Amino acid sequence: MPDSISSPVTAAATPDPLVATLAQARKRLLLTQADLAAQAGLSRMTVQRLESNGLDPRLSTLHEMARVLGYELLAIPQAAHADVHAALARHLPPAAGHTAP
């Protein structure tokens, strides 16, 4: 039987920085993957696959996870990226786990 079915993202791929941030926030809040999934209306398997880099998420999935974790997803112009990160660095405490690029 041929191997024609594959995951859209391989485990060896570089972790997505947004998903990594959400996973760190979940852990800081002492939520299990099942807790986050239930509050975001997702399956635990979806959260697990996302965090293990085995799933390419929908924007709506990331939005719900971020909402539960107290984050807001924003789209910023690439030209403003450095300025936005600098502004955030001035307003967020270092212990928040946020770093400038």
Side-chain angles (χ1 to χ4, degrees), residues 25-70:
R26 176 185 64 76
K27 292 171 186 174
R28 258 194 322 276
L29 293 171
L30 304 177
L31 292 174
T32 65
Q33 290 176 339
D35 293 335
L36 174 57
Q39 291 180 44
L42 305 168
S43 71
R44 185 209 49 84
M45 185 59 87
T46 296
V47 174
Q48 186 275 323
R49 286 183 65 205
L50 255 171
E51 290 186 1
S52 67
N53 212 32
L55 182 67
D56 188 9
R58 292 180 175 186
L59 181 58
S60 60
T61 299
L62 294 171
H63 175 76
E64 282 306 305
M65 289 174 63
R67 179 190 59 76
V68 168
L69 298 168

